[in-house]
Amino acid sequence: MTMFIKAWMGNSLVGELGHHADENLFSFHYQPPWTDVGYALSPTLPLARPPEVSNERHSADVRNFFQNLLPEGKALDDAASAYRVSKSNLAGLLHALGRESAGALVFTSETASPNDHDDRKPRPLSAEELSERIKARPAHPFTVWDGRVRLSIAGYQDKLAVLQCGDEWFLPETMRHSSTHILKPEPVNRRLAGMTTNELMCMLLARSVGVKAASVRLVHVPEPVLVVERFDRDIADGLDAASSADRLVVRRRQCIDGCQALGLPVDFKYEQPYGDGEDVKAIRDGASLQRFFQLLDNRDLMRSTGPAKLEFLRWLIFQVLIGNTDAHAKNLSFFSDANRLALAPAYDMVCGLALIDANVADHLAMAVGDNFDPRSLRAYDWALMAHECRIAPRLVSSVLAELANQCLKQLPAVCDAVLAQDGDKRMMELVSGVVQSQCEAALACAGEVMTVDRDHF
Ligand SMILES: Nc1ncnc2c1ncn2[C@@H]1O[C@H](COP(=O)(O)OP(=O)(O)OP(=O)(O)O)[C@@H](O)[C@H]1O
Ligand SMILES: [Mg+2]
């Protein structure tokens, strides 16, 4: 028995995903004319499969790529139970959730197409209804609306993809419509109260110091909700955005996340995929800075290498300065097209060090050198990272100093902006404290990064 799922971008058929149930193997075949005019979905799924790649290897690459599109944690459990599909049934879940994913891919069954006639209009979503649904958690899963799962993007937190038209929100009903924003309420876990303010502040600070990041704002329905603009959606020019949600033409832009770009399974998004227990912490096969810099250095895969490496270096130093302990490979994305990969704006940036009392990890997702502790990074760690990732220690030193100075300078204005959006003052002060001490530590060691003796490595 084989189940086939079609993968589309706009009206173009990209390829066919097959699940060969008897052998439990997956396959993906690009279809003409995509094979001539299209591009590879990821480095591990080239347009033409090299003869030396076995069926088993190909199947693992296919599974890894497509599994990375699915929600995680409770959202995955809810999706699986809403559609009565096992949560390990990749093809079944893609079929159920595939109306809209991160990037431009949509999925249909073998016999359907995104052009199939469907004249349903986007479904309005009022602030009152949103507030009711936020309060009804966890008894009523946040991602299931009108019996259908409305979330088909990765991640653990509750969120909802909506189409914003003027100042109104809608839930897309058909493949003709597409979401433009992601709504993130506070987590149900009260120990994480203030999370929306935390993320708002980190995102605003990034933008104010020149780290490209998605645009965000905090609204109150009256529960706080972070409204994140999707960078993988563009509203077509020349249309009056306020006219009608049904007529709004939204272009989807293909992107892939860091795990997909590195060819890793979803559970390798942290460098220590088996955790940091004494007996397994030395296993560092997951996503790492070294792997990312290697990818960014590859001219066959990247649109530009030098500028991309600098942009990534700025991204990673910023994560350390804000104490983001969850900057894993799925919290980084790449735009993808026939002209190869380019880094997408930053998103999901949270000061984890402000949340360690709530049991949030206090160690980095990816080590700097050999050090996973963001609070004890020294010149040696940065120099070892520069050495392993083949970047100039001088560059690391100057970006560290520049971004740390900029963060300290911009922090007061960012706090004002957070308060103007009615952010949580307690969380704002906690995040401020972390950013200040991380920046001071960075400034104290930045100058020494170039002078670390290479013989130590
Ligand atoms: N602004 C954006 N534009 C486009 N895609 C985005 C944007 N923000 C997030 N995404 C996509 O949605 C996914 C989930 O979003 P996000 O990382 O914010 O959720 P999360 O549940 O907080 O994640 P985590 O499990 O890391 O805590 C991301 O992995 C990314 O693929
Ligand atoms: Mg995330």
Side-chain angles (χ1 to χ4, degrees):
M1 288 290 288
T2 302
M3 160 87 165
F4 288 107
I5 300 277
K6 283 181 166 163
W8 306 79
M9 275 194 215
N11 296 330
S12 309
L13 178 62
V14 176
E16 222 167 46
L17 171 86
H19 179 225
H20 313 278
D22 296 345
E23 302 138 298
N24 195 19
L25 288 179
F26 290 90
S27 61
F28 187 76
H29 294 289
Y30 293 97
Q31 302 290 313
W34 189 268
T35 32
D36 304 315
V37 299
Y39 53 91
L41 288 181
S42 79
T44 48
L45 294 177
L47 283 175
R49 178 173 149 192
E52 67 275 14
V53 173
S54 67
N55 286 347
E56 287 72 18
R57 179 68 256 169
H58 175 67
S59 171
D61 290 335
V62 172
R63 176 186 271 279
N64 289 346
F65 181 85
F66 290 99
Q67 211 153 32
N68 271 303
L69 295 175
L70 298 179
E72 299 158 77
K74 183 168 182 310
L76 180 61
D77 295 345
D78 292 341
S81 70
Y83 291 109
R84 284 187 245 356
V85 176
S86 154
K87 66 176 183 177
S88 58
N89 182 346
L90 173 60
L93 287 167
L94 283 176
H95 174 246
L97 300 175
R99 261 187 207 88
E100 196 182 10
S101 63
L105 285 173
V106 298
F107 299 92
T108 67
S109 65
E110 207 179 349
T111 51
S113 122
N115 300 321
D116 291 348
H117 182 74
D118 189 340
D119 58 8
R120 281 176 298 163
K121 295 195 169 11
R123 172 212 190 279
L125 168 69
S126 68
E128 294 73 31
E129 190 183 10
L130 182 60
S131 164
E132 286 307 316
R133 290 297 306 269
I134 290 172
K135 288 190 291 237
R137 298 172 304 162
H140 193 168
F142 186 64
T143 48
V144 182
W145 294 67
D146 317 318
R148 265 183 40 208
V149 175
R150 305 292 187 149
L151 173 92
S152 32
I153 44 179
Y156 268 88
Q157 303 296 325
D158 279 339
K159 61 184 101 56
L160 193 62
V162 296
L163 167 55
Q164 184 171 293
C165 185
D167 53 9
E168 289 175 301
W169 292 320
F170 297 83
L171 300 176
E173 289 284 9
T174 72
M175 290 192 194
R176 274 189 306 126
H177 302 116
S178 165
S179 65
T180 56
H181 291 72
I182 299 170
L183 306 184
K184 297 177 86 174
E186 291 280 311
V188 173
N189 179 355
R190 288 184 187 279
R191 294 175 71 195
L192 295 171
M195 185 73 133
T196 49
T197 295
N198 186 324
E199 188 168 340
L200 171 75
M201 189 161 167
C202 294
M203 298 289 286
L204 293 181
L205 186 62
R207 288 167 72 95
S208 73
V209 301
V211 170
K212 272 190 226 135
S215 164
V216 295
R217 69 195 165 98
L218 187 64
V219 298
H220 299 266
V221 294
E223 292 75 16
V225 175
L226 192 70
V227 183
V228 186
E229 190 177 307
R230 291 189 73 149
F231 50 72
D232 55 351
R233 301 289 179 264
D234 289 323
I235 294 181
D237 288 340
L239 258 158
D240 175 4
S243 62
S244 136
D246 187 38
R247 289 184 40 235
L248 203 67
V249 179
V250 180
R251 194 172 68 94
R252 298 175 171 141
R253 213 172 154 185
Q254 174 58 356
C255 56
I256 59 176
D257 72 22
C259 276
Q260 292 173 313
L262 296 175
L264 292 174
V266 57
D267 36 0
F268 273 46
K269 64 184 179 181
Y270 295 108
E271 183 169 342
Q272 293 170 312
Y274 304 99
D276 61 350
E278 271 315 309
D279 46 347
V280 288
K281 69 179 187 189
I283 306 174
R284 291 169 57 180
D285 294 344
S288 63
L289 298 182
Q290 221 172 326
R291 280 183 191 256
F292 273 117
F293 274 109
Q294 218 168 24
L295 168 76
L296 293 163
D297 230 356
N298 187 332
R299 287 174 198 281
D300 293 334
L301 299 176
M302 295 302 302
R303 201 171 299 171
S304 72
T305 51
K309 283 197 291 182
L310 177 59
E311 207 179 327
F312 179 71
L313 178 67
R314 290 174 63 82
W315 175 87
L316 96 87
I317 287 179
F318 184 74
Q319 309 311 319
V320 170
L321 297 179
I322 60 169
N324 184 1
T325 51
D326 207 32
H328 55 66
K330 295 182 74 62
N331 281 337
L332 185 79
S333 284
F334 296 83
F335 288 124
S336 168
D337 61 23
N339 196 13
R340 294 159 288 177
L341 301 175
L343 275 174
Y347 56 89
D348 199 16
M349 292 192 286
V350 170
C351 170
L353 292 183
L355 299 165
I356 44 183
D357 289 346
N359 237 355
V360 168
D362 63 355
H363 52 271
L364 295 166
M366 300 186 278
V368 174
D370 284 334
N371 195 348
F372 282 91
D373 176 5
R375 289 170 292 186
S376 73
L377 291 178
R378 300 288 173 263
Y380 173 85
D381 304 306
W382 289 109
L384 178 59
M385 186 275 285
H387 174 75
E388 288 172 345
C389 299
R390 302 164 66 96
I391 41 177
R394 183 175 296 279
L395 185 65
V396 175
S397 163
S398 73
V399 175
L400 255 183
E402 184 235 328
L403 278 181
N405 278 318
Q406 276 299 316
C407 284
L408 290 174
K409 188 165 161 218
Q410 299 297 333
L411 202 51
V414 167
C415 287
D416 289 345
V418 167
L419 292 179
Q421 297 190 39
D422 217 3
D424 178 299
K425 195 151 182 267
R426 185 194 68 96
M427 181 55 75
M428 186 192 82
E429 279 163 4
L430 274 173
V431 175
S432 271
V434 170
V435 172
Q436 269 165 17
S437 63
Q438 288 297 103
C439 288
E440 278 155 19
L443 287 172
C445 73
E448 289 166 36
V449 177
M450 286 104 72
T451 59
V452 174
D453 188 348
R454 287 171 145 253
D455 292 344
H456 291 318
F457 304 142

